[in-house]
Amino acid sequence: MILAICNSKGGVFKTGTTLNLATLLSSYKPILVDLDSQKSITYLNNIRQQYSKPLDVITVHTEKELEIVINKSTKDNLYIIDTGGFDSSLTRIAIITADVLVSPTSGNVVDLLGLNRFEAILKELSEVKGETIKTNVFINDVSPATKKFDEIQDFITSSENFNLLNSIIRTRADFPNAINKGLTVKEFNPVGKATIEFKFLAKEIELLLSKI
Ligand SMILES: Nc1ncnc2c1ncn2[C@@H]1O[C@H](COP(=O)(O)OP(=O)(O)OP(=O)(O)O)[C@@H](O)[C@H]1O
Ligand SMILES: [Mg+2]
């Protein structure tokens, strides 16, 4: 199976999501696929080796290398692709071929504008694929004090290309503190709020994978 973490807007937590799902979906023995031109996952996996065992990471540079990954995908394995914060032919192939798409976004205006542009890309790719491509959006990096999300939720649910997940991930220091060591929040602070919130997201994603 292929799970693509995607959003053409940069800095919305694609790499953080990919990394954290590695340990929260560990029962699938996931292989992380690094499509990002910055190669963040590959870099973090190197840092991580000072603190823990390396994760299973494949670094992809070319369409041919991506094709090899796609051809190896079966119902019994899981590739999680960090697609990078840009629009490229590699990202587009990942989006078209993925079984499940997941997109983090914050609620700030600039990120919502980015989501709007991403919607236009999904519409273009839906034409190519001949079916509506839907990504599962979750709201990330919102203040722990925020209680109402009506405007963001309305914005997301108004598009046929977006399915809004129930999970809401708050701004938590555990995320950058764990990432700085190449670790996931589950490894860094197993009982912390970041881990609890991310576990809920992983459960929602597992449910999506179970429907493939
Ligand atoms: N919920 C959160 N709590 C705390 N920090 C967060 C949260 N979400 C994102 N961040 C921070 O935002 C920054 C960007 O995250 P990340 O690098 O995963 O984004 P990205 O989408 O992969 O970026 P790019 O498009 O450049 O690849 C990181 O420093 C990360 O720690
Ligand atoms: Mg990234």
Side-chain angles (χ1 to χ4, degrees):
M1 294 180 286
I2 296 180
L3 168 62
I5 313 301
C6 51
N7 185 339
S8 52
K9 172 77 180 66
V12 293
F13 210 36
K14 293 178 293 293
T15 298
T17 301
T18 306
L19 183 73
N20 279 292
L21 287 175
T23 49
L24 283 171
L25 292 178
S26 59
S27 61
Y28 294 82
K29 297 195 169 60
I31 297 168
L32 309 186
V33 181
D34 191 359
L35 277 200
D36 192 343
S37 60
Q38 298 175 79
K39 300 291 168 243
S40 310
I41 286 280
T42 306
Y43 174 72
L44 292 172
N45 203 31
N46 287 335
I47 295 181
R48 163 184 179 88
Q49 295 180 34
Q50 297 172 42
Y51 309 97
S52 187
K53 279 197 291 194
L55 300 168
D56 237 329
V57 173
I58 298 179
T59 313
V60 164
H61 304 90
T62 62
E63 289 180 23
K64 223 174 175 62
E65 286 171 355
L66 180 56
E67 217 173 279
I68 293 170
V69 169
I70 291 165
N71 289 337
K72 281 187 182 159
S73 164
T74 70
K75 261 192 160 295
D76 300 319
N77 58 25
L78 178 64
Y79 291 93
I80 308 178
I81 306 183
D82 178 6
T83 63
F86 56 96
D87 183 19
S88 73
S89 58
L90 279 181
T91 303
R92 288 182 173 231
I93 294 167
I95 289 171
I96 284 187
T97 49
D99 298 295
V100 175
L101 301 168
V102 168
S103 303
T105 186
S106 82
N108 77 46
V109 172
V110 176
D111 281 359
L112 291 182
L113 208 64
L115 201 57
N116 224 0
R117 280 199 297 272
F118 187 49
E119 183 191 22
I121 294 170
L122 293 179
K123 288 204 187 305
E124 238 182 82
L125 296 179
S126 297
E127 290 276 315
V128 175
K129 193 171 181 177
E131 63 182 75
T132 305
I133 298 175
K134 241 185 192 329
T135 186
N136 299 281
V137 181
F138 70 93
I139 300 170
N140 171 55
D141 206 9
V142 287
S143 157
T146 307
K147 296 276 182 287
K148 279 175 77 81
F149 303 93
D150 299 359
E151 274 177 37
I152 316 171
Q153 285 165 334
D154 288 350
F155 178 84
I156 296 166
T157 53
S158 66
S159 168
E160 63 167 2
N161 299 100
F162 299 146
N163 172 49
L164 179 63
L165 294 175
N166 295 316
S167 302
I168 292 178
I169 308 292
R170 310 282 176 163
T171 307
R172 306 279 180 206
D174 277 355
F175 287 114
N177 289 339
I179 288 170
N180 286 343
K181 293 185 157 74
L183 298 174
T184 68
V185 286
K186 186 185 171 199
E187 296 167 318
F188 183 77
N189 183 2
V191 294
K193 287 180 178 162
T195 304
I196 293 165
E197 287 168 5
F198 224 83
K199 266 187 187 169
F200 187 64
L201 174 66
K203 282 268 166 255
E204 279 198 281
I205 294 173
E206 268 192 68
L207 191 64
L208 295 168
L209 292 172
S210 74
K211 289 178 183 160
I212 293 168

